[in-house]
Amino acid sequence: MMDGGKKEEAGPFHGGATWDKRKEEEEGDSEEDDHHQDPPAAATSFVPGPLLSLKDQIEKDKEDESLRRWKEKLLGCLESDLDGQMEPEVKFHSVGILSSDFGEINTPLPIKEEQSNSVLFMLKEGSEYRLKLTFSVLHNIVSGLAYTNIVWKVGLQVDQSKGMLGTFAPRREPYIHMLEEETTPSGALARGTYTAKLKFMDDDKRCHLELNYSFEISKGR
């Protein structure tokens, strides 16, 4: 917001002589400072520790019962649930869609091959909807789980969305995550059948799910 009072102008094109003089003084100060600079400190190299499974991390403090229990509470799992595997695994149980048109429809995962070629759900034009994911994390912490959703119609890409789900630790109860709300397009050209690919990857470029599905947009009320 603009200030009501008079603003002081600045820059090389205002008061040129003064700006040049100030520049010379700053350069002189800089040269003087260079002579008094402390010698550079010895470079220190950081060597990260080896990747440990959650089971190994918990066992490191096995003699400290309170610390072990705190770790298990923080992770949301028990030591008996961990198998020492290094790589995290994300197991998707279902994908659902929520819409004011029909409520909620859930589809168990993985879907059968014939389902990927058939219409998974139908939406009215101009309607709002959200995708709902139910999944579990196994073995280790999964970092930076993100998704991309690409949509095609008659072979042409018409939409692409992406987002971050987050970082998740193993636990007994599955996670439930809602993707951002979206609105279907309207008009005669928007109606018809679409194909889509929903993909989930983590920071280490591991692909945990690649789901091909189809849906239909029909005429609104």
Side-chain angles (χ1 to χ4, degrees):
M1 188 168 66
M2 297 290 292
D3 191 353
K6 185 178 178 181
K7 274 184 121 175
E8 181 182 355
E9 297 181 18
F13 301 105
H14 178 71
T18 305
W19 182 80
D20 290 339
K21 184 178 180 182
R22 186 168 62 247
K23 184 178 179 183
E24 291 174 2
E25 291 174 353
E26 289 175 353
E27 289 176 349
D29 293 342
S30 177
E31 291 176 0
E32 185 177 347
D33 290 341
D34 289 342
H35 294 299
H36 294 85
Q37 283 183 354
D38 294 330
T44 56
S45 58
F46 171 74
V47 180
L51 178 65
L52 295 175
S53 67
L54 289 184
K55 186 175 182 179
D56 290 338
Q57 293 184 48
I58 291 177
E59 287 180 347
K60 282 177 63 177
D61 304 297
K62 201 166 186 177
E63 68 284 353
D64 191 332
E65 184 67 18
S66 61
L67 183 56
R68 186 179 64 83
R69 288 181 179 178
W70 177 80
K71 284 185 177 181
E72 289 179 347
K73 183 178 180 180
L74 181 66
L75 295 172
C77 62
L78 298 175
E79 186 178 354
S80 58
D81 298 328
L82 303 174
D83 54 12
Q85 183 173 322
M86 295 285 191
E87 301 291 328
E89 178 186 351
V90 181
K91 184 178 180 181
F92 286 86
H93 304 294
S94 66
V95 57
I97 182 164
L98 287 77
S99 172
S100 56
D101 291 337
F102 50 74
E104 181 176 345
I105 297 176
N106 286 291
T107 302
L109 294 174
I111 63 173
K112 298 177 181 178
E113 187 175 349
E114 58 268 20
Q115 283 182 286
S116 62
N117 297 322
S118 60
V119 173
L120 202 60
F121 55 85
M122 295 179 63
L123 293 166
K124 300 286 187 183
E125 59 179 341
S127 63
E128 297 176 344
Y129 69 97
R130 299 182 73 177
L131 291 180
K132 174 184 174 183
L133 304 164
T134 305
F135 61 92
S136 296
V137 176
L138 308 173
H139 313 309
N140 212 331
I141 295 172
V142 60
S143 177
L145 186 63
Y147 74 91
T148 57
N149 191 40
I150 305 175
V151 181
W152 296 269
K153 186 180 183 186
V154 293
L156 297 176
Q157 182 177 323
V158 295
D159 186 53
Q160 178 175 342
S161 59
K162 58 184 177 179
M164 176 66 66
L165 275 66
T167 296
F168 303 90
R171 71 178 191 185
R172 286 181 171 177
E173 299 79 18
Y175 291 96
I176 297 176
H177 192 92
M178 306 287 292
L179 300 190
E180 293 183 6
E181 188 175 76
E182 298 191 37
T183 303
T184 58
S186 299
L189 294 177
R191 299 169 202 152
T193 302
Y194 295 77
T195 58
K197 178 182 288 186
L198 183 59
K199 191 174 183 179
F200 294 88
M201 296 187 71
D202 62 22
D203 276 347
D204 295 314
K205 306 303 179 185
R206 282 183 291 257
C207 181
H208 295 281
L209 176 68
E210 190 170 299
L211 174 65
N212 296 299
Y213 65 99
S214 299
F215 65 95
E216 184 178 334
I217 296 178
S218 60
K219 188 175 182 180
R221 297 185 183 86

